[in-house]
Amino acid sequence: MEDELEDRIFYQSFNIHMKLISKFVVGLPLNSSHLNHFWRLFRLYIIKPEVLLLGLLMIIVFVYIQAVEVWSRSLVNKLRLSLSRSAQSRIHKSQFFNGDVESSSWDLREDSVAVYAVQGRRAKMEDRFVINKNIDGTGVSLFAVFDGHGGDFAANYAHDHLIENLSKKIKELKKLIMNGSIEKPVLGKPPPSPKPTLRKSVILERKSSLKRGSTEAEEAIKRAGGLNDPLLLEKLESYSRTITREVKPSRTPIVQYPTPELTSYIEGNMSINYGRLLSDEVLAVDRLLVEAAKKNLDVAGTTALIAVMEGSKLIVANVGDSRGVMCNSKGKAIPLSFDHKPQQSREKKRIEEAGGSVSFNGVWRVAGILATSRALGDYPLKDRKLVIADPDILTFELGDHKPEFIVLASDGLWDTFSNEEVVSFIRTRLHEPHFGAKSITLQSYYRGSLDNITVLVINLSDYKWP
């Protein structure tokens, strides 16, 4: 009974309020006759095909106007951004032609090989390159690009010692083959510490002068061995973080690796196994580099892209994300190497099995730090096997492809160009003094590359293939 009484009271109160609203707001009493009247008017004037169609068109026009307003604002913003970038590009170009960018660029041409490099938007130039044609009359040519990161210590070390060791062994092997006396001489030990020597084709110096004073790497070498305080060593060893941007010296004993016999690189047909030679030398120099870096607390690392040419044979060793590409006789792009990136399934699996991780920090990185999964140096990551220096070796018979040219470049170029775009761009500019290397380097810079950019072009368009 009480519930029914409450319902009646609520219903009566609701009716009273509705009548008051109808009387003072609408001005009409709320009863069924008026509701029927409004319904008839609604059906007569509102629910008609022409009225509904007109209303639909008005809604479409209203939505369109709103969308155009949003699109126009977006378009204006895009135009402003485009104008800003265009102005910035003009500034960069004017700076280049006024000499500002020119002073941070390097170039070299030797016969059919040319290279052009710019520091770009980086605070320091950490790329290095090598042009070593016909090593001491052996008929073997060696080309390389090193892309340093975290400093130029590793790039300088690799460029000095790796190239020197390779050239020396190639000359010795050629001499053994020529003399026909395979006596299995044992290689001497590589240099225990880096002592960079000046090579015009490798050290990137300002165009104003090819001479230089001591580099930061050399200064660090002079200070090597100074960290012998046992209290400081114990303090560094007590750090709990194992993978950080900070570093500490390793006190683990140095492992002695056996030195391969020189004749082990000579095959039965008296040819050199360049793939094995490149692999062994890259790993040997990496071990020495890591030892030197630990003494100096230097976390620098470098990629390595090395190409050896003998006759129609091309052997390419790659560690990291510098890249090579070849333009065949039909103008098609043939990859000479493949980037080592942490997100690749093979690399990611290896890193995770070693106890590491791959995370996204702008790009995919090993332990959130390094954007390439293979490199020389980088000893904090190398000690945990998260980063390795094992090179991928690819061998090509150039007579099968009859290439027009070959491009080796650091990833500053590949951030803005694909393989196919590079081949298409260079192919129309082989007539230029640098065979298109300068043009594409500057174009990559204007496209917004944020890295050092080094491009090496080997022009084979006039080569007479057997």
Side-chain angles (χ1 to χ4, degrees):
M1 288 294 291
E2 292 180 358
D3 294 339
E4 293 180 1
L5 181 60
E6 290 178 359
D7 291 341
R8 288 182 181 180
I9 294 172
F10 176 79
Y11 178 73
Q12 291 175 358
S13 300
F14 176 77
N15 278 337
I16 291 171
H17 282 89
M18 292 301 295
K19 288 180 179 180
L20 289 173
I21 292 172
S22 176
K23 181 178 181 180
F24 292 105
V25 178
V26 182
L28 294 172
L30 190 63
N31 54 52
S32 59
S33 61
H34 285 89
L35 289 175
N36 292 333
H37 178 67
F38 282 125
W39 175 244
R40 286 196 299 271
L41 291 176
F42 185 81
R43 285 189 302 173
L44 182 63
Y45 296 104
I46 303 300
I47 308 179
K48 297 181 67 175
E50 56 271 27
V51 174
L52 292 176
L53 181 60
L54 179 61
L56 180 62
L57 288 175
M58 291 179 65
I59 292 172
I60 292 174
V61 170
F62 178 80
V63 172
Y64 174 77
I65 291 173
Q66 292 296 317
V68 167
E69 184 178 0
V70 173
W71 295 339
S72 63
R73 286 199 300 267
S74 176
L75 181 61
V76 168
N77 290 334
K78 289 181 179 179
L79 288 174
R80 287 177 179 172
L81 180 60
S82 176
L83 290 173
S84 174
R85 288 179 176 174
S86 177
Q88 186 179 17
S89 175
R90 286 196 297 272
I91 291 173
H92 289 318
K93 289 180 181 179
S94 65
Q95 287 177 343
F96 177 82
F97 291 113
N98 287 335
D100 291 342
V101 179
E102 181 73 23
S103 64
S104 297
S105 64
W106 296 260
D107 71 293
L108 180 68
R109 175 173 172 176
E110 292 186 3
D111 299 327
S112 59
V113 184
V115 65
Y116 199 87
V118 296
Q119 181 175 323
R121 295 173 175 85
R122 286 293 178 91
K124 190 173 184 180
M125 183 58 166
E126 297 172 345
D127 284 3
R128 298 291 183 267
F129 63 84
V130 174
I131 296 177
N132 198 345
K133 291 195 66 181
N134 192 17
I135 303 171
D136 284 2
T138 59
V140 181
S141 298
L142 192 153
F143 312 98
V145 171
F146 300 100
D147 180 4
H149 48 261
D152 59 4
F153 179 85
N156 281 339
Y157 190 100
H159 122 269
D160 286 325
H161 298 293
L162 179 54
I163 299 306
E164 183 178 349
N165 292 349
L166 280 171
S167 299
K168 180 180 178 181
K169 290 177 175 61
I170 288 173
K171 287 187 291 184
E172 291 177 355
L173 286 165
K174 281 294 183 178
K175 185 176 180 181
L176 285 174
I177 293 174
M178 185 178 297
N179 294 338
S181 56
I182 311 300
E183 299 177 358
K184 295 188 176 182
V186 179
L187 298 179
K189 290 185 178 179
S193 62
K195 295 180 181 178
T197 56
L198 179 63
R199 294 171 61 91
K200 71 165 187 174
S201 63
V202 183
I203 294 290
L204 299 182
E205 293 301 333
R206 305 293 183 191
K207 286 185 179 178
S208 59
S209 174
L210 286 175
K211 298 181 180 179
R212 64 187 179 109
S214 60
T215 64
E216 292 182 6
E218 290 170 343
E219 293 298 326
I221 294 165
K222 293 177 182 178
R223 299 192 299 269
L227 192 61
N228 295 318
D229 188 339
L231 294 177
L232 179 57
L233 289 172
E234 289 296 333
K235 185 176 180 180
L236 290 171
E237 284 290 347
S238 66
Y239 286 169
S240 59
R241 299 192 322 190
T242 56
I243 300 294
T244 68
R245 294 185 184 274
E246 302 166 0
V247 296
K248 56 183 180 178
S250 173
R251 303 181 69 183
T252 57
I254 298 175
V255 179
Q256 297 294 333
Y257 292 89
T259 303
E261 292 184 346
L262 193 59
T263 53
S264 65
Y265 300 113
I266 300 178
E267 298 181 331
N269 58 357
M270 300 301 286
S271 64
I272 300 173
N273 187 333
Y274 289 107
R276 183 182 172 191
L277 177 63
L278 285 167
S279 183
D280 286 351
E281 288 305 311
V282 166
L283 293 174
V285 166
D286 179 61
R287 289 191 291 267
L288 294 173
L289 168 58
V290 168
E291 292 174 15
K294 288 179 179 179
K295 293 179 181 178
N296 299 307
L297 295 179
D298 198 312
V299 297
T302 182
T303 69
L305 180 65
I306 308 167
V308 175
M309 289 183 63
E310 182 181 19
S312 61
K313 289 287 185 182
L314 173 67
I315 301 90
V316 180
N318 178 54
V319 181
D321 55 7
S322 293
R323 193 188 308 169
V325 65
M326 171 172 60
C327 173
N328 69 6
S329 59
K330 299 179 181 179
K332 301 297 183 182
I334 307 297
L336 300 181
S337 68
F338 296 91
D339 302 351
H340 293 131
K341 293 294 188 181
Q343 68 271 25
Q344 293 170 349
S345 57
R346 178 184 64 169
E347 298 295 291
K348 185 177 180 181
K349 180 181 178 182
R350 177 184 58 76
I351 293 167
E352 291 176 345
E353 288 178 350
S357 63
V358 176
S359 59
F360 190 83
N361 183 13
V363 295
W364 290 102
R365 299 177 184 271
V366 180
I369 300 174
L370 190 61
T372 179
S373 56
R374 300 194 189 191
L376 279 67
D378 293 294
Y379 84 80
L381 298 168
K382 189 70 62 64
D383 279 352
R384 293 280 304 276
K385 307 295 185 184
L386 304 186
V387 171
I388 61 176
D390 299 55
D392 284 340
I393 308 291
L394 295 179
T395 301
F396 301 85
E397 175 54 56
L398 298 182
D400 296 338
H401 302 281
K402 297 180 174 58
E404 297 180 15
F405 58 87
I406 291 170
V407 177
L408 308 177
S410 60
D411 69 331
L413 174 70
W414 308 111
D415 288 341
T416 56
F417 278 87
S418 67
N419 288 2
E420 290 73 20
E421 289 173 332
V422 166
V423 165
S424 177
F425 190 99
I426 295 291
R427 199 179 189 205
T428 60
R429 291 168 174 82
L430 283 176
H431 62 279
E432 296 179 354
H434 292 85
F435 309 124
K438 179 176 181 178
S439 295
I440 199 170
T441 298
L442 297 179
Q443 183 63 31
S444 178
Y445 174 78
Y446 298 143
R447 285 189 180 189
S449 177
L450 302 176
D451 207 346
N452 303 144
I453 309 168
T454 299
V455 179
L456 189 154
V457 177
I458 306 170
N459 184 3
L460 301 172
S461 58
D462 295 330
Y463 190 87
K464 303 302 181 183
W465 298 103

